[in-house]
């Protein structure tokens, strides 16, 4: 089987694990009538038995091969390790779509060495798309190098916009209004990881969400950077991997225009809160 970065043992493991996890996730997705799920913060913040089982599968495989590595996962939180490596995993990103039978979900695995993300893998089981990235070695989709859109602008591209109940709602509504007034258009599928992967391969012009968690975006941010794109610092000043923060990513030509819209929307939102 083709392996994009064959000489990195953590990549070789991560690649096999994400494919095995995808197979397991597809079996849950094929039998939603039996799937148990529950609410976290509210009806839009949900978790299913698939999320928990897939995270447990990934954690067990990491522990078997790299027992001294740390792991930060959406469902079980942080397990520190002395090796200096930290695996950041979202077992099902787009859980809301998943439980409603919509195929816009994925599995995301990132590996950090110190403060640097060095590996990123995102698999969308419903399409079979496998995005992989290694720091300073590029990003590939199904074994072929990809790059961000070098031509899209706010008024010609499609922008991914994340929305959730962790932030003041006006931060989203004000941004959407300004984006539309600027001649832009948005798409939201509830999977920040998948949106960032679509930016990396040039399908989306960029992605913005006022708050996202590290497990949703760590892999995708590396992919955008390795695809020649620009990403704002994450999680940003005064925040940690466990608090999360805003995510902004796009082709370099979009940076100024996108940042101006974000700044204006936060100013407008602030006048309401
Ligand atoms: C999701 C994120 C998305 C955000 C959703 C949710 P989950 O992660 O990927 O960006 O808008 O509220 O947090 O919960 O599906 O793993």
């Amino acid at each position: 089987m083709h392996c994009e970065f064959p000489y990195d043992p953590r990549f070789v493991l991560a690649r096999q694990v994400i494919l095995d996890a995808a197979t397991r996730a597809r079996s849950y997705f094929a039998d939603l009538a039996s799937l148990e799920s529950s609410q976290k913060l509210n009806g839009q913040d949900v978790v299913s038995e698939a999320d928990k089982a897939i995270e447990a599968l990934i954690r067990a495989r990491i522990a078997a091969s790299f027992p001294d590595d740390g792991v930060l996962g959406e469902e079980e939180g942080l397990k520190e390790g002395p090796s200096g490596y930290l695996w950041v995993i979202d077992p099902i990103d787009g859980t809301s779509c998943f439980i409603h039978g919509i195929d816009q979900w994925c599995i995301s695995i990132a590996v950090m060495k110190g403060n640097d993300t060095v590996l990123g893998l995102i698999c969308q089981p419903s399409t079979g798309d496998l995005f992989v990235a290694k720091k300073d070695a590029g990003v590939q989709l199904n074994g072929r190098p990809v790059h961000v859109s070098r031509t899209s602008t706010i008024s010609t591209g499609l922008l991914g916009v994340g929305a959730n109940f962790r932030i003041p709602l006006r931060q989203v509504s004000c941004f959407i209004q300004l984006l539309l007034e600027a001649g832009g258009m948005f798409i939201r599928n509830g999977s920040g990881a998948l949106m960032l992967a679509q930016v990396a391969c040039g399908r989306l012009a960029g992605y913005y969400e006022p708050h996202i968690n590290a497990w949703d975006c760590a892999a995708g941010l590396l992919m955008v950077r390795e695809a020649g794109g620009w990403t704002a610092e994450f999680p940003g000043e005064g925040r940690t991997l466990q608090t999360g923060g805003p995510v902004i990513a796009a082709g370099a030509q979009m940076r100024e225009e996108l940042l101006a819209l974000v700044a204006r929307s936060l100013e407008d939102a602030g006048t309401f809160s």
Side-chain angles (χ1 to χ4, degrees):
M1 176 186 289
H2 169 75
C3 186
E4 294 81 355
F5 308 115
Y7 309 111
D8 184 321
R10 284 181 174 80
F11 175 79
V12 172
L13 174 71
R15 189 181 196 282
Q16 189 54 58
V17 168
I18 204 168
L19 293 175
D20 293 345
T23 300
R24 182 80 175 277
R26 268 194 290 264
S27 66
Y28 280 108
F29 193 61
D31 185 15
L32 294 175
S34 308
L35 188 73
E36 292 180 14
S37 61
S38 57
Q39 294 185 12
K40 291 181 177 177
L41 285 177
N42 54 50
Q44 301 299 339
D45 183 16
V46 292
V47 60
S48 77
E49 64 180 301
D51 297 76
K52 295 172 183 175
I54 301 295
E55 182 163 329
L57 179 159
I58 297 171
R59 283 176 178 266
R61 297 281 290 277
I62 296 167
S65 297
F66 298 100
D68 291 338
D69 286 9
V71 184
L72 171 62
E74 177 169 13
E75 309 312 336
E76 296 183 33
L78 177 63
K79 176 197 82 83
E80 294 183 319
S83 71
Y85 285 93
L86 178 70
W87 296 64
V88 184
I89 56 180
D90 192 336
I92 303 281
D93 189 53
T95 300
S96 194
C97 279
F98 186 94
I99 68 168
H100 293 300
I102 299 170
D103 66 4
Q104 292 300 307
W105 55 274
C106 66
I107 301 164
S108 181
I109 296 176
V111 177
M112 298 181 69
K113 185 175 183 181
N115 292 323
D116 284 336
T117 304
V118 293
L119 294 174
L121 300 88
I122 292 173
C123 180
Q124 184 180 9
S126 54
T127 61
D129 279 348
L130 176 63
F131 299 82
V132 299
K134 181 176 180 180
K135 187 177 179 186
D136 301 331
V139 55
Q140 298 181 34
L141 167 57
N142 301 332
R144 294 178 182 274
V146 291
H147 60 78
V148 295
S149 168
R150 300 180 180 121
T151 56
S152 291
T153 64
I154 287 290
S155 61
T156 62
L158 189 56
L159 193 73
V161 179
N164 62 70
F165 288 99
R166 300 186 295 268
I167 42 130
L169 304 185
R170 295 275 186 183
Q171 290 186 8
V172 175
S173 59
C174 288
F175 180 81
I176 294 288
Q177 177 165 343
L178 290 171
L179 175 68
L180 296 176
E181 288 172 353
M185 185 45 72
F186 67 95
I187 181 172
R188 183 215 186 249
N189 70 358
S191 171
L194 204 46
M195 295 264 100
L196 287 166
Q198 305 291 15
V199 174
C201 68
R203 294 171 181 163
L204 285 181
Y207 186 66
Y208 167 57
E209 185 161 4
H211 177 276
I212 198 169
N213 291 305
W215 44 81
D216 300 322
C217 68
L221 285 172
L222 175 65
M223 289 175 188
V224 172
R225 293 193 292 268
E226 288 299 317
W230 166 81
T231 65
E233 187 184 337
F234 179 86
E237 192 172 339
R239 301 184 181 95
T240 69
L241 283 182
Q242 288 164 282
T243 64
V247 59
I248 315 174
Q253 76 284 357
M254 289 258 298
R255 179 180 181 279
E256 295 307 321
E257 203 177 4
L258 182 51
L259 279 175
L261 283 181
V262 169
R264 172 85 187 281
S265 67
L266 293 175
E267 188 181 314
D268 291 355
T271 58
F272 290 102
S273 55

